[in-house]
mmCIF file of all heavy atoms in Angstrom:
data_model
loop_
_atom_site.group_PDB
_atom_site.id
_atom_site.type_symbol
_atom_site.label_atom_id
_atom_site.label_comp_id
_atom_site.label_asym_id
_atom_site.label_seq_id
_atom_site.Cartn_x
_atom_site.Cartn_y
_atom_site.Cartn_z
ATOM 1 N N SER J 1 129.060 139.961 106.004
ATOM 2 C CA SER J 1 129.740 140.851 105.063
ATOM 3 C C SER J 1 129.188 142.277 105.155
ATOM 4 O O SER J 1 129.942 143.251 105.178
ATOM 5 C CB SER J 1 129.560 140.308 103.639
ATOM 6 O OG SER J 1 130.051 141.207 102.701
ATOM 7 N N LYS J 2 127.863 142.383 105.222
ATOM 8 C CA LYS J 2 127.214 143.704 105.328
ATOM 9 C C LYS J 2 127.586 144.363 106.658
ATOM 10 O O LYS J 2 127.836 145.569 106.704
ATOM 11 C CB LYS J 2 125.698 143.519 105.223
ATOM 12 C CG LYS J 2 124.921 144.792 105.241
ATOM 13 C CD LYS J 2 124.650 145.226 103.840
ATOM 14 C CE LYS J 2 123.633 146.353 103.872
ATOM 15 N NZ LYS J 2 124.044 147.452 103.030
ATOM 16 N N ALA J 3 127.634 143.583 107.725
ATOM 17 C CA ALA J 3 127.994 144.122 109.038
ATOM 18 C C ALA J 3 129.435 144.638 109.039
ATOM 19 O O ALA J 3 129.724 145.698 109.613
ATOM 20 C CB ALA J 3 127.816 143.050 110.117
ATOM 21 N N LYS J 4 130.350 143.903 108.372
ATOM 22 C CA LYS J 4 131.733 144.373 108.267
ATOM 23 C C LYS J 4 131.801 145.693 107.517
ATOM 24 O O LYS J 4 132.533 146.604 107.907
ATOM 25 C CB LYS J 4 132.586 143.332 107.521
ATOM 26 C CG LYS J 4 133.103 142.208 108.374
ATOM 27 C CD LYS J 4 133.876 141.163 107.571
ATOM 28 C CE LYS J 4 134.995 141.741 106.745
ATOM 29 N NZ LYS J 4 135.764 140.736 105.996
ATOM 30 N N GLY J 5 131.050 145.791 106.428
ATOM 31 C CA GLY J 5 131.033 147.013 105.637
ATOM 32 C C GLY J 5 130.479 148.187 106.420
ATOM 33 O O GLY J 5 131.049 149.292 106.403
ATOM 34 N N THR J 6 129.387 147.969 107.128
ATOM 35 C CA THR J 6 128.772 149.027 107.940
ATOM 36 C C THR J 6 129.727 149.492 109.034
ATOM 37 O O THR J 6 129.872 150.697 109.271
ATOM 38 C CB THR J 6 127.452 148.524 108.559
ATOM 39 O OG1 THR J 6 126.547 148.202 107.487
ATOM 40 C CG2 THR J 6 126.820 149.558 109.460
ATOM 41 N N ALA J 7 130.407 148.542 109.678
ATOM 42 C CA ALA J 7 131.357 148.894 110.735
ATOM 43 C C ALA J 7 132.513 149.725 110.171
ATOM 44 O O ALA J 7 132.946 150.707 110.790
ATOM 45 C CB ALA J 7 131.891 147.630 111.407
ATOM 46 N N ALA J 8 133.013 149.360 108.995
ATOM 47 C CA ALA J 8 134.114 150.113 108.378
ATOM 48 C C ALA J 8 133.654 151.516 107.999
ATOM 49 O O ALA J 8 134.367 152.499 108.236
ATOM 50 C CB ALA J 8 134.633 149.363 107.152
ATOM 51 N N GLU J 9 132.465 151.631 107.403
ATOM 52 C CA GLU J 9 131.932 152.948 107.035
ATOM 53 C C GLU J 9 131.772 153.829 108.267
ATOM 54 O O GLU J 9 132.132 155.009 108.259
ATOM 55 C CB GLU J 9 130.597 152.792 106.312
ATOM 56 C CG GLU J 9 130.725 152.161 104.941
ATOM 57 C CD GLU J 9 129.384 151.735 104.364
ATOM 58 O OE1 GLU J 9 128.321 152.141 104.912
ATOM 59 O OE2 GLU J 9 129.397 150.993 103.355
ATOM 60 N N THR J 10 131.241 153.254 109.337
ATOM 61 C CA THR J 10 131.050 153.996 110.587
ATOM 62 C C THR J 10 132.393 154.460 111.143
ATOM 63 O O THR J 10 132.522 155.604 111.604
ATOM 64 C CB THR J 10 130.296 153.133 111.614
ATOM 65 O OG1 THR J 10 129.029 152.758 111.038
ATOM 66 C CG2 THR J 10 130.074 153.863 112.915
ATOM 67 N N ALA J 11 133.406 153.608 111.080
ATOM 68 C CA ALA J 11 134.733 153.971 111.577
ATOM 69 C C ALA J 11 135.328 155.115 110.763
ATOM 70 O O ALA J 11 135.928 156.047 111.312
ATOM 71 C CB ALA J 11 135.661 152.752 111.541
ATOM 72 N N VAL J 12 135.144 155.087 109.440
ATOM 73 C CA VAL J 12 135.662 156.157 108.580
ATOM 74 C C VAL J 12 134.936 157.464 108.880
ATOM 75 O O VAL J 12 135.576 158.522 108.987
ATOM 76 C CB VAL J 12 135.566 155.774 107.085
ATOM 77 C CG1 VAL J 12 135.852 156.976 106.189
ATOM 78 C CG2 VAL J 12 136.530 154.633 106.754
ATOM 79 N N VAL J 13 133.624 157.409 109.034
ATOM 80 C CA VAL J 13 132.864 158.626 109.367
ATOM 81 C C VAL J 13 133.359 159.209 110.689
ATOM 82 O O VAL J 13 133.599 160.416 110.803
ATOM 83 C CB VAL J 13 131.345 158.348 109.417
ATOM 84 C CG1 VAL J 13 130.593 159.488 110.084
ATOM 85 C CG2 VAL J 13 130.809 158.100 108.009
ATOM 86 N N ARG J 14 133.522 158.371 111.691
ATOM 87 C CA ARG J 14 134.008 158.831 113.003
ATOM 88 C C ARG J 14 135.389 159.476 112.852
ATOM 89 O O ARG J 14 135.641 160.555 113.389
ATOM 90 C CB ARG J 14 134.055 157.660 113.981
ATOM 91 C CG ARG J 14 134.286 158.078 115.424
ATOM 92 C CD ARG J 14 134.233 156.904 116.414
ATOM 93 N NE ARG J 14 133.098 156.025 116.215
ATOM 94 C CZ ARG J 14 133.198 154.734 115.825
ATOM 95 N NH1 ARG J 14 134.371 154.194 115.602
ATOM 96 N NH2 ARG J 14 132.121 154.007 115.679
ATOM 97 N N PHE J 15 136.275 158.843 112.093
ATOM 98 C CA PHE J 15 137.626 159.380 111.868
ATOM 99 C C PHE J 15 137.550 160.748 111.182
ATOM 100 O O PHE J 15 138.235 161.692 111.591
ATOM 101 C CB PHE J 15 138.442 158.395 111.021
ATOM 102 C CG PHE J 15 139.793 158.907 110.657
ATOM 103 C CD1 PHE J 15 140.864 158.788 111.538
ATOM 104 C CD2 PHE J 15 140.017 159.528 109.437
ATOM 105 C CE1 PHE J 15 142.119 159.283 111.211
ATOM 106 C CE2 PHE J 15 141.265 160.020 109.101
ATOM 107 C CZ PHE J 15 142.315 159.897 109.994
ATOM 108 N N LEU J 16 136.743 160.849 110.135
ATOM 109 C CA LEU J 16 136.619 162.122 109.410
ATOM 110 C C LEU J 16 136.058 163.224 110.294
ATOM 111 O O LEU J 16 136.538 164.369 110.253
ATOM 112 C CB LEU J 16 135.746 161.938 108.160
ATOM 113 C CG LEU J 16 136.402 161.178 107.011
ATOM 114 C CD1 LEU J 16 135.369 160.822 105.947
ATOM 115 C CD2 LEU J 16 137.544 161.980 106.410
ATOM 116 N N ARG J 17 135.057 162.892 111.097
ATOM 117 C CA ARG J 17 134.491 163.905 112.004
ATOM 118 C C ARG J 17 135.534 164.394 112.999
ATOM 119 O O ARG J 17 135.635 165.594 113.257
ATOM 120 C CB ARG J 17 133.272 163.343 112.725
ATOM 121 C CG ARG J 17 132.063 163.234 111.818
ATOM 122 C CD ARG J 17 130.874 162.700 112.566
ATOM 123 N NE ARG J 17 129.703 162.664 111.715
ATOM 124 C CZ ARG J 17 128.566 162.090 112.052
ATOM 125 N NH1 ARG J 17 128.449 161.510 113.237
ATOM 126 N NH2 ARG J 17 127.548 162.093 111.219
ATOM 127 N N GLU J 18 136.316 163.474 113.535
ATOM 128 C CA GLU J 18 137.371 163.858 114.478
ATOM 129 C C GLU J 18 138.457 164.684 113.791
ATOM 130 O O GLU J 18 139.130 165.483 114.437
ATOM 131 C CB GLU J 18 137.977 162.615 115.140
ATOM 132 C CG GLU J 18 137.023 161.945 116.108
ATOM 133 C CD GLU J 18 137.514 160.584 116.600
ATOM 134 O OE1 GLU J 18 138.640 160.163 116.228
ATOM 135 O OE2 GLU J 18 136.758 159.928 117.342
ATOM 136 N N ALA J 19 138.598 164.525 112.468
ATOM 137 C CA ALA J 19 139.592 165.274 111.696
ATOM 138 C C ALA J 19 139.045 166.625 111.239
ATOM 139 O O ALA J 19 139.719 167.347 110.514
ATOM 140 C CB ALA J 19 140.042 164.448 110.496
ATOM 141 N N GLY J 20 137.810 166.954 111.647
ATOM 142 C CA GLY J 20 137.249 168.260 111.325
ATOM 143 C C GLY J 20 136.181 168.259 110.247
ATOM 144 O O GLY J 20 135.597 169.300 109.955
ATOM 145 N N PHE J 21 135.911 167.119 109.644
ATOM 146 C CA PHE J 21 134.864 167.026 108.624
ATOM 147 C C PHE J 21 133.554 166.641 109.312
ATOM 148 O O PHE J 21 133.074 165.513 109.201
ATOM 149 C CB PHE J 21 135.260 166.015 107.540
ATOM 150 C CG PHE J 21 136.527 166.398 106.826
ATOM 151 C CD1 PHE J 21 137.757 165.900 107.231
ATOM 152 C CD2 PHE J 21 136.489 167.286 105.759
ATOM 153 C CE1 PHE J 21 138.924 166.265 106.588
ATOM 154 C CE2 PHE J 21 137.653 167.659 105.107
ATOM 155 C CZ PHE J 21 138.870 167.153 105.522
ATOM 156 N N THR J 22 132.992 167.608 110.028
ATOM 157 C CA THR J 22 131.863 167.353 110.925
ATOM 158 C C THR J 22 130.581 166.954 110.198
ATOM 159 O O THR J 22 129.687 166.397 110.825
ATOM 160 C CB THR J 22 131.587 168.584 111.794
ATOM 161 O OG1 THR J 22 131.327 169.710 110.941
ATOM 162 C CG2 THR J 22 132.780 168.891 112.694
ATOM 163 N N GLN J 23 130.499 167.221 108.903
ATOM 164 C CA GLN J 23 129.293 166.878 108.144
ATOM 165 C C GLN J 23 129.338 165.462 107.556
ATOM 166 O O GLN J 23 128.367 165.023 106.939
ATOM 167 C CB GLN J 23 129.078 167.887 107.008
ATOM 168 C CG GLN J 23 128.933 169.323 107.468
ATOM 169 C CD GLN J 23 127.752 169.507 108.406
ATOM 170 O OE1 GLN J 23 126.653 169.022 108.142
ATOM 171 N NE2 GLN J 23 127.979 170.183 109.519
ATOM 172 N N ALA J 24 130.456 164.768 107.734
ATOM 173 C CA ALA J 24 130.591 163.419 107.168
ATOM 174 C C ALA J 24 129.536 162.498 107.764
ATOM 175 O O ALA J 24 129.271 162.524 108.966
ATOM 176 C CB ALA J 24 131.987 162.868 107.435
ATOM 177 N N GLU J 25 128.926 161.677 106.896
ATOM 178 C CA GLU J 25 127.915 160.713 107.344
ATOM 179 C C GLU J 25 127.818 159.570 106.347
ATOM 180 O O GLU J 25 128.201 159.711 105.187
ATOM 181 C CB GLU J 25 126.551 161.392 107.504
ATOM 182 C CG GLU J 25 125.986 161.951 106.214
ATOM 183 C CD GLU J 25 124.685 162.706 106.400
ATOM 184 O OE1 GLU J 25 124.372 163.082 107.531
ATOM 185 O OE2 GLU J 25 123.994 162.918 105.401
ATOM 186 N N ARG J 26 127.300 158.458 106.829
ATOM 187 C CA ARG J 26 127.078 157.319 105.943
ATOM 188 C C ARG J 26 125.938 157.659 104.997
ATOM 189 O O ARG J 26 124.985 158.316 105.364
ATOM 190 C CB ARG J 26 126.730 156.065 106.748
ATOM 191 C CG ARG J 26 127.919 155.520 107.504
ATOM 192 C CD ARG J 26 127.621 154.197 108.191
ATOM 193 N NE ARG J 26 127.245 153.189 107.225
ATOM 194 C CZ ARG J 26 126.116 152.470 107.297
ATOM 195 N NH1 ARG J 26 125.270 152.633 108.276
ATOM 196 N NH2 ARG J 26 125.847 151.577 106.375
ATOM 197 N N ARG J 27 126.063 157.202 103.775
ATOM 198 C CA ARG J 27 125.045 157.456 102.757
ATOM 199 C C ARG J 27 124.282 156.161 102.500
ATOM 200 O O ARG J 27 124.865 155.085 102.503
ATOM 201 C CB ARG J 27 125.739 157.925 101.472
ATOM 202 C CG ARG J 27 124.792 158.197 100.341
ATOM 203 C CD ARG J 27 125.537 158.748 99.135
ATOM 204 N NE ARG J 27 125.576 160.196 99.234
ATOM 205 C CZ ARG J 27 126.485 160.957 98.661
ATOM 206 N NH1 ARG J 27 127.456 160.419 97.964
ATOM 207 N NH2 ARG J 27 126.438 162.251 98.782
ATOM 208 N N THR J 28 122.985 156.284 102.259
ATOM 209 C CA THR J 28 122.184 155.098 101.953
ATOM 210 C C THR J 28 122.458 154.650 100.524
ATOM 211 O O THR J 28 122.853 155.438 99.673
ATOM 212 C CB THR J 28 120.672 155.403 102.095
ATOM 213 O OG1 THR J 28 120.330 156.470 101.220
ATOM 214 C CG2 THR J 28 120.331 155.765 103.527
ATOM 215 N N LEU J 29 122.237 153.384 100.258
ATOM 216 C CA LEU J 29 122.460 152.822 98.928
ATOM 217 C C LEU J 29 121.481 153.427 97.928
ATOM 218 O O LEU J 29 120.328 153.687 98.243
ATOM 219 C CB LEU J 29 122.275 151.301 98.963
ATOM 220 C CG LEU J 29 123.303 150.510 99.772
ATOM 221 C CD1 LEU J 29 122.890 149.046 99.833
ATOM 222 C CD2 LEU J 29 124.674 150.660 99.163
ATOM 223 N N ASN J 30 121.965 153.617 96.707
ATOM 224 C CA ASN J 30 121.126 154.164 95.642
ATOM 225 C C ASN J 30 121.121 153.272 94.412
ATOM 226 O O ASN J 30 120.904 153.758 93.302
ATOM 227 C CB ASN J 30 121.621 155.567 95.253
ATOM 228 C CG ASN J 30 121.298 156.597 96.311
ATOM 229 O OD1 ASN J 30 120.161 156.697 96.736
ATOM 230 N ND2 ASN J 30 122.304 157.341 96.745
ATOM 231 N N GLY J 31 121.410 151.996 94.551
ATOM 232 C CA GLY J 31 121.389 151.067 93.415
ATOM 233 C C GLY J 31 122.406 151.431 92.358
ATOM 234 O O GLY J 31 123.545 151.770 92.667
ATOM 235 N N VAL J 32 121.993 151.396 91.074
ATOM 236 C CA VAL J 32 122.915 151.683 89.977
ATOM 237 C C VAL J 32 123.362 153.135 89.972
ATOM 238 O O VAL J 32 124.373 153.474 89.374
ATOM 239 C CB VAL J 32 122.306 151.314 88.601
ATOM 240 C CG1 VAL J 32 122.125 149.819 88.472
ATOM 241 C CG2 VAL J 32 121.036 152.065 88.342
ATOM 242 N N GLN J 33 122.620 154.006 90.640
ATOM 243 C CA GLN J 33 122.995 155.420 90.734
ATOM 244 C C GLN J 33 123.693 155.722 92.057
ATOM 245 O O GLN J 33 123.660 156.852 92.537
ATOM 246 C CB GLN J 33 121.755 156.311 90.557
ATOM 247 C CG GLN J 33 121.170 156.275 89.165
ATOM 248 C CD GLN J 33 122.181 156.691 88.108
ATOM 249 O OE1 GLN J 33 122.835 157.711 88.220
ATOM 250 N NE2 GLN J 33 122.311 155.880 87.068
ATOM 251 N N ASP J 34 124.325 154.698 92.638
ATOM 252 C CA ASP J 34 125.030 154.859 93.913
ATOM 253 C C ASP J 34 126.025 156.009 93.812
ATOM 254 O O ASP J 34 126.621 156.251 92.768
ATOM 255 C CB ASP J 34 125.748 153.557 94.267
ATOM 256 C CG ASP J 34 126.190 153.503 95.725
ATOM 257 O OD1 ASP J 34 125.811 154.394 96.506
ATOM 258 O OD2 ASP J 34 126.919 152.559 96.073
ATOM 259 N N ARG J 35 126.178 156.744 94.914
ATOM 260 C CA ARG J 35 127.054 157.914 94.942
ATOM 261 C C ARG J 35 128.084 157.804 96.066
ATOM 262 O O ARG J 35 128.488 158.812 96.626
ATOM 263 C CB ARG J 35 126.201 159.169 95.091
ATOM 264 C CG ARG J 35 125.299 159.359 93.883
ATOM 265 C CD ARG J 35 124.344 160.527 93.940
ATOM 266 N NE ARG J 35 124.560 161.449 95.019
ATOM 267 C CZ ARG J 35 123.594 161.887 95.836
ATOM 268 N NH1 ARG J 35 122.370 161.467 95.694
ATOM 269 N NH2 ARG J 35 123.863 162.751 96.787
ATOM 270 N N GLY J 36 128.504 156.564 96.369
ATOM 271 C CA GLY J 36 129.527 156.352 97.383
ATOM 272 C C GLY J 36 128.942 156.037 98.740
ATOM 273 O O GLY J 36 127.740 156.099 98.952
ATOM 274 N N ASP J 37 129.827 155.709 99.676
ATOM 275 C CA ASP J 37 129.407 155.299 101.019
ATOM 276 C C ASP J 37 129.370 156.436 102.022
ATOM 277 O O ASP J 37 128.651 156.366 103.006
ATOM 278 C CB ASP J 37 130.354 154.212 101.543
ATOM 279 C CG ASP J 37 130.280 152.929 100.719
ATOM 280 O OD1 ASP J 37 129.175 152.591 100.254
ATOM 281 O OD2 ASP J 37 131.330 152.281 100.544
ATOM 282 N N ILE J 38 130.177 157.474 101.780
ATOM 283 C CA ILE J 38 130.283 158.579 102.737
ATOM 284 C C ILE J 38 129.834 159.862 102.057
ATOM 285 O O ILE J 38 130.285 160.184 100.962
ATOM 286 C CB ILE J 38 131.737 158.751 103.240
ATOM 287 C CG1 ILE J 38 132.320 157.427 103.754
ATOM 288 C CG2 ILE J 38 131.821 159.861 104.289
ATOM 289 C CD1 ILE J 38 131.636 156.846 104.964
ATOM 290 N N ALA J 39 128.948 160.596 102.700
ATOM 291 C CA ALA J 39 128.468 161.891 102.200
ATOM 292 C C ALA J 39 128.943 162.988 103.148
ATOM 293 O O ALA J 39 129.476 162.714 104.216
ATOM 294 C CB ALA J 39 126.936 161.881 102.130
ATOM 295 N N GLY J 40 128.742 164.233 102.735
ATOM 296 C CA GLY J 40 129.013 165.360 103.613
ATOM 297 C C GLY J 40 130.320 166.078 103.343
ATOM 298 O O GLY J 40 130.660 167.038 104.029
ATOM 299 N N ILE J 41 131.068 165.631 102.342
ATOM 300 C CA ILE J 41 132.287 166.330 101.932
ATOM 301 C C ILE J 41 132.067 166.716 100.470
ATOM 302 O O ILE J 41 132.238 165.890 99.570
ATOM 303 C CB ILE J 41 133.552 165.459 102.101
ATOM 304 C CG1 ILE J 41 133.670 165.007 103.558
ATOM 305 C CG2 ILE J 41 134.795 166.246 101.672
ATOM 306 C CD1 ILE J 41 134.778 164.030 103.817
ATOM 307 N N PRO J 42 131.641 167.961 100.231
ATOM 308 C CA PRO J 42 131.276 168.379 98.870
ATOM 309 C C PRO J 42 132.385 168.119 97.850
ATOM 310 O O PRO J 42 133.557 168.384 98.105
ATOM 311 C CB PRO J 42 131.023 169.887 99.017
ATOM 312 C CG PRO J 42 130.666 170.065 100.456
ATOM 313 C CD PRO J 42 131.485 169.047 101.202
ATOM 314 N N GLY J 43 131.975 167.554 96.712
ATOM 315 C CA GLY J 43 132.906 167.304 95.625
ATOM 316 C C GLY J 43 133.721 166.038 95.756
ATOM 317 O O GLY J 43 134.557 165.747 94.903
ATOM 318 N N VAL J 44 133.478 165.261 96.827
ATOM 319 C CA VAL J 44 134.272 164.052 97.076
ATOM 320 C C VAL J 44 133.342 162.859 97.282
ATOM 321 O O VAL J 44 132.386 162.941 98.053
ATOM 322 C CB VAL J 44 135.176 164.219 98.322
ATOM 323 C CG1 VAL J 44 135.969 162.946 98.593
ATOM 324 C CG2 VAL J 44 136.105 165.411 98.155
ATOM 325 N N VAL J 45 133.647 161.769 96.599
ATOM 326 C CA VAL J 45 132.941 160.500 96.785
ATOM 327 C C VAL J 45 133.920 159.525 97.414
ATOM 328 O O VAL J 45 135.041 159.358 96.927
ATOM 329 C CB VAL J 45 132.411 159.953 95.444
ATOM 330 C CG1 VAL J 45 132.001 158.497 95.566
ATOM 331 C CG2 VAL J 45 131.248 160.798 94.957
ATOM 332 N N ILE J 46 133.497 158.901 98.507
ATOM 333 C CA ILE J 46 134.341 157.922 99.206
ATOM 334 C C ILE J 46 133.626 156.581 99.215
ATOM 335 O O ILE J 46 132.503 156.468 99.716
ATOM 336 C CB ILE J 46 134.639 158.369 100.658
ATOM 337 C CG1 ILE J 46 135.348 159.720 100.667
ATOM 338 C CG2 ILE J 46 135.465 157.303 101.374
ATOM 339 C CD1 ILE J 46 135.486 160.337 102.051
ATOM 340 N N GLU J 47 134.284 155.590 98.664
ATOM 341 C CA GLU J 47 133.809 154.215 98.681
ATOM 342 C C GLU J 47 134.650 153.480 99.716
ATOM 343 O O GLU J 47 135.883 153.501 99.631
ATOM 344 C CB GLU J 47 133.970 153.592 97.292
ATOM 345 C CG GLU J 47 133.507 152.169 97.180
ATOM 346 C CD GLU J 47 132.009 151.998 97.376
ATOM 347 O OE1 GLU J 47 131.244 152.951 97.141
ATOM 348 O OE2 GLU J 47 131.623 150.892 97.801
ATOM 349 N N VAL J 48 134.013 152.871 100.715
ATOM 350 C CA VAL J 48 134.736 152.198 101.798
ATOM 351 C C VAL J 48 134.701 150.693 101.570
ATOM 352 O O VAL J 48 133.654 150.132 101.254
ATOM 353 C CB VAL J 48 134.117 152.547 103.181
ATOM 354 C CG1 VAL J 48 134.847 151.819 104.298
ATOM 355 C CG2 VAL J 48 134.131 154.055 103.403
#
């Protein structure tokens, strides 16, 4: 399950970078203060 999630997050980051969002990257888990799976797009939280 974790491997599927990581693969999907990586695919979304790759897609965003190719679309011009070059700062997009996977974000590490933060527990109850989690801030989404993808970072690097200011003002936007993406949960994959």
Side-chain angles (χ1 to χ4, degrees):
S1 173
K2 183 95 169 133
K4 277 177 54 179
T6 298
E9 291 167 13
T10 301
V12 169
V13 166
R14 191 176 313 115
F15 176 84
L16 287 169
R17 286 181 177 171
E18 290 170 3
F21 299 94
T22 58
Q23 301 300 314
E25 63 184 17
R26 289 186 61 234
R27 179 176 270 156
T28 58
L29 293 174
N30 287 309
V32 293
Q33 292 302 310
D34 195 8
R35 296 177 10 229
D37 295 324
I38 308 296
I41 303 174
V44 179
V45 165
I46 301 171
E47 180 66 25
V48 179

